[in-house]
């Protein structure tokens, strides 16, 4: 492959969409990973997503974002990600509300996040959806099945406990580690399985 294009490919951004489900800490943890690794990231947020972030984090999303990350509003139809011609390495919707999940599953494209997810599906780019709700009714489950069949990864915000989390951040790290695994990005957010097996009882 031509090196020039490989370099361009390397700078293709990842997209993080933040919606109004609980769990801003997951998004914050992923943003910190991209910042620490100097990887290009585009951030999208719904109106409610920004409000829930501020409620849970105690600071606005705008203030919390590193300056290297561009933030697009949900009705910014001129954002580059709204077009299928723009390449992105993958999109993560995290946390994902049941409303946004339903809209993506049914191809509504009524805001920038729904449209961008639709582009990812039609262009066959990776789309990882991290839903948060409990309990789930049949429509939630049907929508997740729909999306799985379309090629999206449904990666529920379900932290495990076998890495012996010490605090909330450790719990969030577990979910974000699984997201990074699916994006093929290396991390040390949680101990590897081998390291865990060697943890003293
Ligand atoms: C503090 C707070 C927490 C919420 N948590 C969830 C949640 O975990 N899951 C969910 O599906 N909706 C949750 N909601 C409701 C969504 O924000 C609401 O359905 C909204 O319309 C989602 O819009 P969006 O998908 O455009 O962000 C929450 C709302 C608030 C105010």
């Amino acid at each position: 492959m031509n090196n020039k294009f490989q370099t361009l490919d390397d700078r293709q951004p990842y997209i993080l969409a933040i919606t109004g489900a609980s769990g801003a800490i997951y998004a914050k943890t992923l943003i910190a990973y991209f910042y620490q690794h100097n990887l290009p990231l585009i951030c999208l947020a719904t109106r409610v997503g920004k409000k829930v972030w501020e409620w849970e984090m105690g600071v606005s999303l705008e203030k919390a974002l590193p300056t290297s990350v561009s933030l697009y509003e949900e009705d910014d139809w001129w954002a580059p990600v709204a077009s299928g011609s723009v390449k992105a390495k993958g999109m993560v919707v995290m946390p994902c509300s049941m409303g946004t999940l339903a809209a993506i599953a049914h191809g509504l494209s009524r805001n920038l996040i729904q449209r961008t997810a639709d582009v990812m599906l039609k262009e066959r780019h990776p789309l990882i959806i991290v839903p948060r709700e409990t309990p789930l009714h049949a429509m939630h489950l049907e929508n997740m099945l729909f999306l799985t069949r379309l090629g999206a990864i449904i990666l529920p915000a379900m932290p495990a406990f076998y890495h012996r989390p010490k605090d909330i951040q450790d719990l969030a790290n577990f979910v974000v580690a699984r997201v990074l695994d699916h994006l093929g990005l290396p991390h040390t957010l949680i101990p590897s399985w081998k390291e865990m097996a060697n943890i003293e009882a």
Side-chain angles (χ1 to χ4, degrees):
M1 194 196 272
N2 182 320
N3 274 341
K4 189 173 158 207
F5 288 113
Q6 232 172 349
T7 310
L8 279 177
D9 264 354
D10 284 346
R11 298 313 295 168
Q12 274 176 13
Y14 294 82
I15 301 166
L16 169 64
I18 300 168
T19 77
S22 184
I25 190 171
Y26 298 121
K28 186 179 169 217
T29 306
L30 192 71
I31 292 165
Y33 173 92
F34 277 88
Y35 179 68
Q36 282 156 13
H37 293 81
N38 193 26
L39 288 167
L41 181 68
I42 291 175
C43 199
L44 319 178
T46 62
R47 262 184 282 281
V48 195
K50 285 166 60 168
K51 284 192 177 154
V52 175
W53 172 294
E54 192 158 348
W55 175 255
E56 294 186 347
M57 295 288 108
V59 60
S60 72
L61 176 60
E62 284 86 349
K63 280 197 187 135
L65 272 186
T67 48
S68 56
V69 179
S70 337
L71 174 66
Y72 293 94
E73 307 293 326
E74 71 169 49
D75 50 5
D76 185 351
W77 296 107
W78 277 262
V81 289
S83 157
S85 62
V86 171
K87 304 281 176 270
K89 281 199 169 150
M91 176 177 185
V92 182
V93 187
M94 178 172 75
C96 184
S97 71
M98 292 303 105
T100 292
L101 179 97
I104 298 172
H106 295 278
L108 298 191
S109 292
R110 298 291 290 273
N111 66 27
L112 182 64
I113 284 158
Q114 297 165 19
R115 164 66 184 164
T116 308
D118 205 59
V119 168
M120 300 304 281
L121 290 171
K122 84 183 173 75
E123 301 297 332
R124 309 293 195 264
H125 294 323
L127 173 63
I128 300 174
I129 297 186
V130 182
R132 209 240 54 104
E133 188 50 276
T134 195
L136 300 168
H137 60 56
M139 185 60 78
H140 296 147
L141 296 165
E142 296 271 11
N143 288 337
M144 289 184 208
L145 184 59
F146 239 91
L147 284 165
T148 300
R149 288 189 171 140
L150 287 170
I153 302 278
I154 301 292
L155 198 155
M158 285 183 187
F161 294 86
Y162 52 73
H163 64 305
R164 299 191 180 172
K166 303 263 181 309
D167 53 24
I168 294 172
Q169 186 60 60
D170 279 352
L171 288 170
N173 284 354
F174 183 90
V175 172
V176 175
R178 300 300 289 128
V179 169
L180 292 170
D181 290 344
H182 277 274
L183 290 173
L185 293 170
H187 64 83
T188 53
L189 283 182
I190 57 167
S192 66
W193 188 251
K194 201 173 156 200
E195 283 164 338
M196 271 184 285
N198 289 330
I199 292 176
E200 293 286 315

